[in-house]
Amino acid sequence: MFNTSLQMSLNCPSHLSVSVTRQRNVCKRRLNPVLAVPPSSVILHTDESGEFPESRNSSSSSNASLSSCAGSLLCHPNTVGIMGGGSVDSTLSFVRKLVHWSKENEETCTPFVLCSDPVLNRELLSLERNSSTLCSRNARSQFDHSPIVENLLSKRVFLEKSGAQCIVVPCHISHSWHDEVFNGCSIPSLHMAECVSRELKEAKLKPLEAGSPLRIGVLATDVTLKAGFYQEKLQNEGFEVVLPDKATMEHTVIPAIDAINRKDMEGARNLLRIALQVLLVREVNTVILASNDMCDLLPRDDPLLKKCIDPMDALVMSTIKWAQQAVKEVQPIC
C-alpha cells in the first residue's frame, strides 16, 4: 500500500472557501436548502488568536448568526478537522489525498474543515528548519515553546466548535506537543506516528534475517527525532527503531535541511540518498521519512523512495477509515 500510495497521481480537488463576513444575508442564503446545498468541505482562515478576523468587531447577535451558519455547514458525523502545520503545501497535499482516496470508495469525499494560520506556519517552519541550531541540550531547554503550544491549543478549540468530530494534524513537528494540546479534547484525534506504526504492524512484515527483530528506520529533522514520539509509537508495536547516528545527522541530514533552505535541491537530494543508504545497510525493513521536505525531494520513480514510507499516507488512510466508521455508528444531527 505504501509504495502504490506514494506513486499515485493526485488531482487537485475543488474546495469551497468560506469568507466569513458581517452580512447576515450571506448566512441566510447558505442556510436555505432551496438556495444552496451545504458543502462537504469548508476552509476557514483564522488569525493568530484562532478567531475569525472580523469577529472581534462584530456584535454579539452577528457572532451568533455566524456560529449558527458554520455549525449548519459542518453537521456531518464524519466531519474531519484539519489543523494546518508548518507547511501549507504539505497540508494541502494531505487534503488532496484525503479527497482523492476517499472518493475511490465513496460517491463523495470526506467532509472536512481546515484551519490555517500563517503565524503558526512560520513558527513551526522556523523551529523545524533551524533545528540544527538547537542541537545542544542547553539550546533546546532555553527555547520557549509555550506560544506554539497555546496557538495549537486555540486551533484545537476552534475546530471543536466548528463541528469537527475528529481532528488530524498533518505536521510532524506539531506532534511534539500532541498529548498536551489534546488533553481534555471532547473529540478524538489521530496521531500520525501511531497511524503509521499500526499500519506497519498490520502489514505483517518479515525480518530481513531470520531470528532478527523487525527494524524500522526513522529519518527526520533533529527536532523531530529529539521529541521521540515516532520511537515511542513504533516501540509500542514491537518494532526495533533505528535512527541516524551522530555522524549521519551532522554530515548528511542537517546539511540536507540547510541545502533545502538555500534552495539547493540537487545538493539536498544527494545528501538524502546517502542518509537513506546508511540506514538501509543497517538491515531496516523500511524507512519512515518523517519530514515533508524530505518526502518531496526524491522523484517518484527513485528506487530508494520505494524503501520509504510517508507517514502522511498512513494518516490519510486512518482518517478515511475513521470517517467511514463514523457514518455507520453515528446518525446525522441535522
Side-chain angles (χ1 to χ4, degrees):
M1 192 286 291
F2 298 114
N3 292 341
T4 57
S5 63
L6 285 171
Q7 296 170 358
M8 280 187 176
S9 175
L10 303 177
N11 298 319
C12 260
S14 60
H15 304 299
L16 173 67
S17 179
V18 177
S19 176
V20 180
T21 68
R22 301 175 197 168
Q23 301 176 8
R24 286 175 175 269
N25 59 337
V26 173
C27 286
K28 289 180 180 178
R29 286 198 299 270
R30 295 191 185 279
L31 286 172
N32 191 328
V34 176
L35 297 177
V37 176
S40 62
S41 307
V42 183
I43 302 177
L44 300 174
H45 292 268
T46 65
D47 61 17
E48 58 270 25
S49 68
E51 298 179 353
F52 296 117
E54 290 88 349
S55 64
R56 292 178 177 177
N57 298 324
S58 302
S59 65
S60 58
S61 60
S62 178
N63 283 335
S65 177
L66 291 173
S67 176
S68 175
C69 179
S72 68
L73 291 172
L74 300 170
C75 63
H76 307 287
N78 60 335
T79 297
V80 176
I82 304 172
M83 188 185 298
S87 169
V88 175
D89 289 337
S90 64
T91 303
L92 293 179
S93 176
F94 173 86
V95 172
R96 292 187 191 103
K97 292 179 180 181
L98 178 67
V99 171
H100 185 81
W101 294 354
S102 64
K103 288 179 69 175
E104 288 185 343
N105 300 317
E106 304 290 339
E107 293 183 358
T108 58
C109 70
T110 301
F112 65 87
V113 53
L114 169 60
C115 182
S116 176
D117 177 7
V119 173
L120 182 61
N121 299 153
R122 290 193 297 269
E123 290 175 344
L124 290 172
L125 191 61
S126 176
L127 175 61
E128 187 166 30
R129 289 194 169 180
N130 295 302
S131 60
S132 58
T133 64
L134 301 172
C135 287
S136 71
R137 182 173 299 178
N138 289 336
R140 288 197 309 275
S141 63
Q142 293 173 4
F143 192 87
D144 184 13
H145 295 143
S146 57
I148 294 178
V149 175
E150 291 174 3
N151 202 332
L152 289 169
L153 184 59
S154 72
K155 301 302 176 287
R156 187 212 89 184
V157 173
F158 168 78
L159 289 172
E160 284 181 280
K161 294 181 178 179
S162 297
Q165 300 301 312
C166 179
I167 298 177
V168 298
V169 188
C171 171
H172 300 281
I173 187 60
S174 295
H175 285 75
S176 301
W177 310 281
H178 187 274
D179 292 346
E180 187 174 355
V181 171
F182 288 97
N183 181 36
C185 186
S186 63
I187 57 178
S189 63
L190 301 182
H191 195 294
M192 186 149 53
E194 203 169 80
C195 292
V196 71
S197 300
R198 184 171 57 249
E199 195 156 316
L200 281 169
K201 186 71 172 182
E202 294 172 355
K204 300 186 183 301
L205 302 173
K206 302 292 184 182
L208 296 183
E209 285 191 1
S212 299
L214 280 166
R215 296 189 180 96
I216 304 297
V218 180
L219 199 59
T221 60
D222 183 77
V223 68
T224 298
L225 292 179
K226 288 293 192 296
F229 52 87
Y230 273 104
Q231 298 92 304
E232 176 190 351
K233 301 300 182 182
L234 287 165
Q235 289 168 356
N236 288 344
E237 295 292 348
F239 295 108
E240 181 179 309
V241 183
V242 179
L243 303 179
D245 56 23
K246 182 178 180 181
T248 302
M249 289 297 297
E250 291 180 351
H251 298 297
T252 62
V253 179
I254 293 176
I257 298 299
D258 292 339
I260 292 173
N261 292 340
R262 299 193 309 270
K263 307 300 182 183
D264 177 14
M265 297 307 171
E266 186 61 30
R269 193 173 296 117
N270 292 333
L271 289 167
L272 175 59
R273 288 192 175 106
I274 295 173
L276 286 172
Q277 289 167 346
V278 169
L279 280 178
L280 289 171
V281 298
R282 296 172 66 183
E283 299 180 346
V284 299
N285 284 71
T286 188
V287 177
I288 294 176
L289 274 181
S291 165
N292 296 320
D293 287 333
M294 293 180 188
C295 285
D296 294 335
L297 274 180
L298 298 180
R300 293 306 178 192
D301 59 350
D302 194 299
L304 279 176
L305 195 58
K306 295 180 180 179
K307 301 287 187 179
C308 301
I309 295 172
D310 183 352
M312 194 85 73
D313 294 347
L315 182 62
V316 172
M317 294 307 300
S318 294
T319 303
I320 293 173
K321 290 178 182 178
W322 172 87
Q324 291 172 342
Q325 188 63 28
V327 170
K328 296 177 182 178
E329 296 180 351
V330 183
Q331 294 297 323
I333 59 178
C334 293

